[in-house]
Amino acid sequence: MNNKKEKILIYSAMAIIIILILVVIVMIWFPMFNKISNSDINTYNSTITYEDTMKEYYSNYLNEYLKITNFDILYEKINKDYMSDIGIQNKDEMKQYLRDNDLISMDIDVQNIEYSNNENYSIFRVLYNSHGIKKYVNIKETEPYKFSITFEQSELNTLLEKNDINLTLNNVNYIFELIESTENSIRYKLTIENNSNNEYIYDFSALNSIQLVYSNSNYVNMASVANSSTVNYSLTPGSTKSIEILFNISFNNQFNINGFLLNNVKVDGANTKIELLF
């Protein structure tokens, strides 16, 4: 009888010890698993952005379909307005053009993808090697996986949504006509039409006389004024003047241009600045 009680006590003690050990293990490991679940896994998911996802997709797509043997599939995505702009009439001419300019080959290697976007579309500008020669291809995306392809190499005017910008303030028209867009700069022809009853005097001698506004609160001074014999303009009512201005700004930020600031202006002799936002 005593032996039986001893065995019961021993087994009970062992059971209690095992339960205590399991409780300790759960208390130690559960917070660690919880931490992994809430930090590592969630952080990983949150860092996978739309940009990253589409860059990977387009990298794989172009590595495959810029090959000559896959031209038939690529052709379906080539922008037809782009073909018209470069004087290409049909599929065979397009294939020959791309081959002659080393834009397609059997040796394709995507090197880098730059992403730009506005509220209407996104641009993926892709640097790649075509049998060792550096080339660019541009993907214009209107919604996920709905896109067209062009092959502008340096002049990027057609990739921007707003080529010409017309703004009016106090009966004075400011027309910014896009002349050239490149990887690192944009050039406009600015025409000012004074339809007011006031005299406007513009002094463009300082680089901050005309500033480009992008992303609402960032400013870039003009880099130079071209095709002008003077940098001081007096516009009486009914008169018009034009100048060319260059801004050094990356292609990515050109998508976010939303205005201009003109400093060093006099209206009927009074100093002022003119903010032109759109």
Side-chain angles (χ1 to χ4, degrees):
M1 205 52 195
N2 290 334
N3 289 337
K4 187 175 181 180
K5 289 183 178 180
E6 288 179 1
K7 288 181 180 181
I8 293 173
L9 291 173
I10 291 171
Y11 291 146
S12 298
M14 291 176 62
I16 293 171
I17 291 171
I18 291 172
I19 292 171
L20 289 173
I21 291 173
L22 291 174
V23 170
V24 171
I25 290 173
V26 170
M27 292 177 64
I28 293 174
W29 285 99
F30 181 77
M32 295 180 66
F33 282 118
N34 189 52
K35 182 178 180 181
I36 292 172
S37 175
N38 292 332
S39 63
D40 294 346
I41 295 176
N42 289 340
T43 300
Y44 173 76
N45 287 335
S46 67
T47 60
I48 299 177
T49 64
Y50 175 77
E51 177 182 344
D52 293 333
T53 299
M54 297 312 296
K55 280 184 176 181
E56 181 178 2
Y57 172 79
Y58 289 127
S59 178
N60 293 333
Y61 180 92
L62 294 170
N63 273 321
E64 186 67 22
Y65 294 113
L66 287 176
K67 293 178 180 177
I68 294 174
T69 51
N70 291 326
F71 173 75
D72 288 348
I73 298 174
L74 178 73
Y75 178 75
E76 297 303 318
K77 291 294 187 179
I78 296 177
N79 186 285
K80 301 308 181 282
D81 290 335
Y82 167 74
M83 289 177 56
S84 179
D85 289 342
I86 61 176
I88 300 296
Q89 303 298 320
N90 55 55
K91 182 177 179 179
D92 290 338
E93 288 183 8
M94 191 73 231
K95 184 175 184 178
Q96 191 63 46
Y97 172 85
L98 295 178
R99 291 186 66 170
D100 291 347
N101 288 278
D102 299 305
L103 294 166
I104 57 174
S105 72
M106 290 307 296
D107 180 16
I108 297 295
D109 181 23
V110 171
Q111 299 289 302
N112 186 53
I113 302 180
E114 295 290 337
Y115 172 74
S116 306
N117 73 307
N118 60 27
E119 60 184 12
N120 296 321
Y121 65 95
S122 299
I123 291 288
F124 295 83
R125 182 154 168 82
V126 184
L127 171 65
Y128 67 102
N129 283 341
S130 175
H131 54 68
I133 302 172
K134 288 187 176 181
K135 296 293 179 179
Y136 286 96
V137 60
N138 309 294
I139 295 174
K140 186 173 184 178
E141 181 189 75
T142 53
E143 59 185 69
Y145 305 104
K146 185 176 181 180
F147 61 92
S148 63
I149 290 175
T150 63
F151 290 88
E152 292 93 342
Q153 297 302 295
S154 57
E155 294 190 7
L156 309 177
N157 302 31
T158 57
L159 299 180
L160 295 176
E161 184 178 31
K162 294 184 174 74
N163 288 331
D164 297 336
I165 301 168
N166 299 324
L167 302 166
T168 301
L169 183 66
N170 297 327
N171 293 320
V172 179
N173 296 333
Y174 299 88
I175 304 167
F176 293 83
E177 179 184 355
L178 178 63
I179 298 174
E180 181 184 46
S181 168
T182 70
E183 293 284 348
N184 299 301
S185 67
I186 192 167
R187 185 186 301 274
Y188 291 101
K189 176 183 178 182
L190 168 60
T191 299
I192 305 174
E193 301 173 344
N194 185 3
N195 298 316
S196 73
N197 296 320
N198 307 107
E199 180 186 27
Y200 281 73
I201 299 176
Y202 301 88
D203 180 359
F204 297 137
S205 59
L207 294 181
N208 69 346
S209 298
I210 306 178
Q211 295 177 302
L212 181 150
V213 186
Y214 70 96
S215 299
N216 297 316
S217 59
N218 295 294
Y219 296 84
V220 175
N221 292 342
M222 66 178 180
S224 64
V225 176
N227 294 346
S228 173
S229 58
T230 179
V231 290
N232 293 286
Y233 294 96
S234 175
L235 272 73
T236 55
S239 61
T240 300
K241 297 289 185 182
S242 295
I243 59 170
E244 286 187 15
I245 47 179
L246 174 72
F247 298 95
N248 292 328
I249 180 173
S250 70
F251 181 69
N252 286 357
N253 285 326
Q254 290 173 31
F255 276 78
N256 299 310
I257 293 172
N258 59 307
F260 301 88
L261 181 64
L262 278 62
N263 299 299
N264 306 326
V265 181
K266 291 184 178 180
V267 181
D268 289 340
N271 294 323
T272 189
K273 64 180 180 181
I274 296 171
E275 189 173 48
L276 303 167
L277 301 177
F278 54 89

